[in-house]
Amino acid sequence: MRHLYSCPLRWSDMDAFGHVNNAVFVRYLEEARIDFMWRLAPGEGSTSFSGGSVVARHEIDYVRPLVHRHAPVTVESWVTKIGAASMTIAYEIKDEDTVYVRASTVVVPYDLDQQRPRRITAEEKAFLREYLDDGAGDGAKQQEGAVAA
């Protein structure tokens, strides 16, 4: 399963060339990740995904420039790896016809009281597994359209 998040474009997101600034894409990923982890987490009374989390790694491939327009873009996200104390979330920022960014983030749950990373709970793992797609057999799609270095 994939999570979809609609992200509006703002004039303040643009650089001098009228493109969404590369650093702004990180904010779009953050907004989608927060929506995914907090809004869609298990129901009321659950402590899943409560407390904090820290980003251990971002990896971003800028595929196409995104220019200002009034229509929002979609941030599609899914889980590619669930570890004992980390998870990897993959994303595509796109519209119906074009992928602008492919990215992934390693997220580590964090115990704010103890000031240290914590393990992922069984309830959190169950939720994350619903969105797990390790890409097996889908490698061509991941590489398609990547910008050459």
Side-chain angles (χ1 to χ4, degrees):
M1 181 171 10
R2 304 278 173 109
H3 172 256
L4 302 177
Y5 176 76
S6 180
C7 192
L9 303 179
R10 303 165 190 95
W11 278 108
S12 60
D13 295 346
M14 302 301 135
D15 62 17
F17 302 106
H19 302 128
V20 171
N21 183 280
N22 67 82
V24 171
F25 282 110
V26 175
R27 190 183 79 228
Y28 293 169
L29 300 176
E30 178 185 38
E31 289 174 9
R33 185 174 59 256
I34 288 170
D35 187 70
F36 171 68
M37 291 177 68
W38 305 106
R39 189 174 65 84
L40 295 180
E44 289 185 38
S46 170
T47 58
S48 286
F49 302 110
S50 63
S53 63
V54 294
V55 170
R57 177 182 174 88
H58 280 304
E59 191 171 310
I60 302 173
D61 291 321
Y62 300 96
V63 180
R64 303 254 186 284
L66 177 57
V67 297
H68 186 269
R69 61 185 195 196
H70 294 290
V73 290
T74 298
V75 182
E76 185 174 351
S77 54
W78 61 97
V79 176
T80 59
K81 183 178 179 185
I82 305 168
S86 69
M87 67 200 87
T88 302
I89 300 172
Y91 319 81
E92 286 186 343
I93 298 177
K94 62 187 189 175
D95 57 27
E96 289 182 19
D97 303 322
T98 306
V99 173
Y100 301 100
V101 166
R102 287 191 178 93
S104 65
T105 303
V106 176
V107 179
V108 176
Y110 197 78
D111 184 323
L112 294 172
D113 293 331
Q114 298 292 320
Q115 291 294 296
R116 63 183 181 146
R118 67 169 178 81
R119 296 178 81 72
I120 297 172
T121 67
E123 184 180 27
E124 290 166 339
K125 281 184 183 180
F127 169 75
L128 293 168
R129 280 189 191 111
E130 293 180 36
Y131 293 88
L132 184 62
D133 180 354
D134 62 8
D138 201 17
K141 181 179 179 188
Q142 293 296 323
Q143 296 301 319
E144 174 187 322
V147 175

